[in-house]
Amino acid sequence: MEINKDTKILIVGLGLIGGTYAQALSDQGYEVGAVARRKETIDFALDKGWIRHGRWEVDEDYIGDFDLVVFALYPHIFLEWIRDHQHCLKSGALLTDVTGVKRSVVYAVQDMLRDDLEFIGAHPMAGREKSGVEYAEKEVFYDANYIVTPTEKNTPEAVAACEQLGRLLGFRTIARLSPEEHDEMVGFLSQLTHLIAVALMVCKDSTQLVRYTGDSFRDLTRIAKVNDVMWTELFLLNKDELLRQTDIFMEKMSQLRDNLANGDAEAIRAMMRLSRERREYFDK
Amino acid sequence: MEINKDTKILIVGLGLIGGTYAQALSDQGYEVGAVARRKETIDFALDKGWIRHGRWEVDEDYIGDFDLVVFALYPHIFLEWIRDHQHCLKSGALLTDVTGVKRSVVYAVQDMLRDDLEFIGAHPMAGREKSGVEYAEKEVFYDANYIVTPTEKNTPEAVAACEQLGRLLGFRTIARLSPEEHDEMVGFLSQLTHLIAVALMVCKDSTQLVRYTGDSFRDLTRIAKVNDVMWTELFLLNKDELLRQTDIFMEKMSQLRDNLANGDAEAIRAMMRLSRERREYFDK
């Protein structure tokens, strides 16, 4: 399928990311509907013009009317939703998601899905430190990456449509990774960095440190204000990979620590030079 | 002493921070001179109007003409300079510095200093990822903290003058800490965060990761482009404290890691909630 102006798009879960999808797609003229848990959420999005219609209860007729369905739910709620409501979806509909872990979600959904539906995983790598549709702001996608995670069950048409969706949403880059590659990459770049920020933040009572803090501590802990429910679920669903990435990092910390304890200036300097050289790629 | 328009100020070492002092103080109308290692550095600062005169060799008559002398040198060069050239300084002159570690510098300088000179330590907690006078930009001080580290050898007048200097330079907050308190605070807030950034950056070849990187990895590694010579010297001079702070952090990382390995969602969530709560102080 190709997404065009006749494609009716349903967003299931109208939080920060679901809301941003609705906003970005409505602003481009697509017909967007939504299912949320609370009437207030639907009313807010209707009022903003981000959705044309919505439901705050699962309405079987309503959800059967869409060609493209985007799930922006916590992973376990997403899986339950598919189990309980997939029978209502329109035959031939394309399903995608925004979940931050892939192996544990993509294969489970594809395994239980009806034969006349197709699910292709995607991960919009953008977010804010706030939760809720009221903080949606489509500009957060403009400098961010959108990852599509096809499996052998996916058709080329679905991959193309999912990549088209990423472009419609305004992402700067669209990439393709297997669920396994995705989870390794996200384990390192995103989950490990959140783990570090949390660890740093709980080291000591920081209220009296605020007045001395330079930019470096602020930088390293900006992401420390995590949604504990969501991130704990994502961590546990990617446990093996996050443990592996954490151990790689801890090993490097131990090396630096030992070089320091031994007064080995040259070994510390060599690691710093490598760090500098690698970080310079990010400025290019 | 009070700093006034008759106070002649010498900057020894015209790198990024020394250059920024020269710029900020000249812009306020003070007579600023400088000693640098290279003629080009002096010419650049003269051309910018950041200094009124300067020398690229230590000129004994010249350095004896200043009331306030700011040392912006690597720690070991600073100590050598005092040992070799303090006999030329003007009787009654006030000396201060910008060094990022304090116990190892402040007591050593005060112990060897002539009785008719006074040294008071200070640490401007600001910087950039670049080195050199050509990157000086006085605005980096405006949102930053300036720490004065007096000892029992300092007079109230010197403390007051040093704090006045911090205000003249435009720092947002001026604080006072003992050298011990300073080194503990800097060990945690600044040195440990740089250690973490370097460790994260050397974990793996990141050239292929750039395209997937979201903001969190960029945030945690912005400071990874360290000047290896300077930071290694600062780390080793604060070794005991940096090791202590690193161990506190590693202990929290291990706790998170073990909770993850054990699938203890509630323990992870509790640490995340504490992290979130503490980080919120920084937004106030």
Side-chain angles (χ1 to χ4, degrees), chain B residues 176-195:
Chain B
R176 209 182 289 187
L177 291 174
S178 70
E180 291 74 20
E181 290 166 332
H182 171 277
D183 285 359
E184 180 186 349
M185 179 274 290
V186 155
F188 179 67
L189 290 177
S190 171
Q191 296 189 324
L192 172 60
T193 51
H194 281 77
L195 202 71

Side-chain angles (χ1 to χ4, degrees), chain A residues 204 219 222 225 257 283, chain B residues 219 222 225 245 247 283:
Chain A
K204 47 183 84 180
D219 278 357
R222 181 187 64 82
K225 286 196 294 177
R257 191 208 176 283
D283 298 336
Chain B
D219 278 356
R222 181 186 63 82
K225 285 196 294 177
Q245 302 304 324
D247 291 342
D283 299 335

Side-chain angles (χ1 to χ4, degrees), chain B residues 12-82:
Chain B
V12 182
L14 211 54
L16 178 72
I17 298 295
T20 310
Y21 269 59
Q23 177 192 18
L25 294 168
S26 284
D27 285 358
Q28 297 231 18
Y30 291 92
E31 180 177 346
V32 179
V35 178
R37 274 179 309 182
R38 298 187 313 128
K39 180 175 185 304
E40 294 71 26
T41 307
I42 296 296
D43 288 343
F44 180 90
L46 282 171
D47 187 54
K48 287 278 186 184
W50 295 348
I51 56 175
R52 210 171 293 179
H53 34 69
R55 296 289 185 275
W56 53 95
E57 280 167 357
V58 176
D59 171 338
E60 301 206 339
D61 289 337
Y62 180 73
I63 64 176
D65 200 32
F66 294 88
D67 309 293
L68 174 63
V69 186
V70 178
F71 292 89
L73 300 170
Y74 281 34
H76 76 279
I77 300 178
F78 175 30
L79 295 177
E80 286 169 15
W81 201 103
I82 293 294

Side-chain angles (χ1 to χ4, degrees), chain A residues 145 204 211-212 219 221-222 224-225 228 232 239 245 247 257 261 269 275-276 278-279 283, chain B residues 145 204 211-212 219 221-222 224-225 228 232 239 245 247 257 261 269 275-276 278-279 283:
Chain A
N145 302 316
K204 47 183 84 180
R211 54 195 304 231
Y212 307 116
D219 278 357
T221 59
R222 181 187 64 82
K225 286 196 294 177
D228 61 298
T232 299
K239 180 169 129 171
Q245 302 304 323
D247 291 344
R257 191 208 176 283
R269 287 184 53 191
S275 165
R276 182 176 186 90
R278 286 190 172 161
R279 188 57 175 80
D283 298 336
Chain B
N145 302 315
K204 46 183 84 182
R211 55 195 300 232
Y212 307 116
D219 278 356
T221 58
R222 181 186 63 82
K225 285 196 294 177
D228 61 297
T232 299
K239 180 170 128 171
Q245 302 304 324
D247 291 342
R257 192 209 175 284
R269 288 184 51 189
S275 165
R276 181 175 186 92
R278 286 190 173 161
R279 187 58 176 78
D283 299 335

Side-chain angles (χ1 to χ4, degrees), chain A residues 10-245:
Chain A
L10 177 67
I11 313 289
V12 182
L14 211 54
L16 178 71
I17 297 295
T20 311
Y21 270 57
Q23 177 192 19
L25 294 168
S26 284
D27 285 359
Q28 296 230 20
Y30 291 93
E31 180 177 346
V32 179
V35 178
R37 272 181 309 183
R38 297 188 313 128
K39 179 174 186 304
E40 293 72 25
T41 307
I42 296 295
D43 288 343
F44 180 90
L46 282 171
D47 187 55
K48 287 279 187 182
W50 295 349
I51 57 175
R52 209 171 294 178
H53 34 70
R55 296 288 185 276
W56 53 95
E57 278 168 359
V58 176
D59 171 336
E60 303 205 340
D61 289 336
Y62 180 74
I63 64 177
D65 200 33
F66 294 88
D67 309 293
L68 175 63
V69 186
V70 179
F71 293 90
L73 300 169
Y74 281 35
H76 75 280
I77 300 179
F78 175 31
L79 295 177
E80 287 168 16
W81 200 103
I82 293 293
R83 185 192 64 202
D84 297 344
H85 305 298
Q86 64 163 316
H87 65 275
C88 314
L89 292 170
K90 184 178 183 173
S91 185
L94 180 64
L95 283 54
T96 187
D97 73 336
V98 306
T99 318
V101 290
K102 287 300 176 214
R103 286 172 302 167
S104 56
V105 168
V106 172
Y107 297 118
V109 171
Q110 289 184 340
D111 283 349
M112 71 169 123
L113 206 63
R114 281 162 43 194
D115 286 342
D116 60 332
L117 299 172
E118 181 166 353
F119 170 70
I120 178 156
H123 182 192
M125 291 192 66
R128 302 184 64 187
E129 282 71 54
K130 312 264 190 179
S131 302
V133 67
E134 61 270 33
Y135 296 106
E137 203 174 64
K138 64 181 180 178
E139 290 75 14
V140 302
F141 291 164
Y142 295 175
D143 198 37
N145 302 316
Y146 181 84
I147 319 276
V148 180
T149 60
T151 70
E152 57 184 14
K153 290 207 177 179
N154 286 117
T155 59
E157 293 72 23
V159 176
C162 193
E163 293 181 346
Q164 185 195 356
L165 178 62
R167 286 191 299 274
L168 291 174
L169 291 165
F171 282 91
R172 194 189 47 176
T173 58
I174 315 287
R176 210 183 287 187
L177 290 175
S178 69
E180 291 72 21
E181 290 166 332
H182 170 277
D183 285 0
E184 179 187 350
M185 180 275 290
V186 155
F188 179 66
L189 290 177
S190 170
Q191 295 188 326
L192 172 61
T193 51
H194 281 77
L195 201 72
I196 292 170
V198 169
L200 200 47
M201 208 67 233
V202 299
C203 277
K204 47 183 84 180
D205 180 8
S206 47
T207 53
Q208 91 287 7
L209 290 175
V210 173
R211 54 195 304 231
Y212 307 116
T213 295
D215 287 341
S216 51
F217 190 78
R218 278 181 199 276
D219 278 357
L220 268 80
T221 59
R222 181 187 64 82
I223 56 172
K225 286 196 294 177
V226 293
N227 172 331
D228 61 298
V229 180
M230 184 179 78
W231 280 92
T232 299
E233 184 171 345
L234 293 173
F235 277 13
L236 289 171
L237 286 174
N238 202 31
K239 180 169 129 171
D240 57 343
E241 199 54 76
L242 178 53
L243 286 173
R244 191 151 35 233
Q245 302 304 323

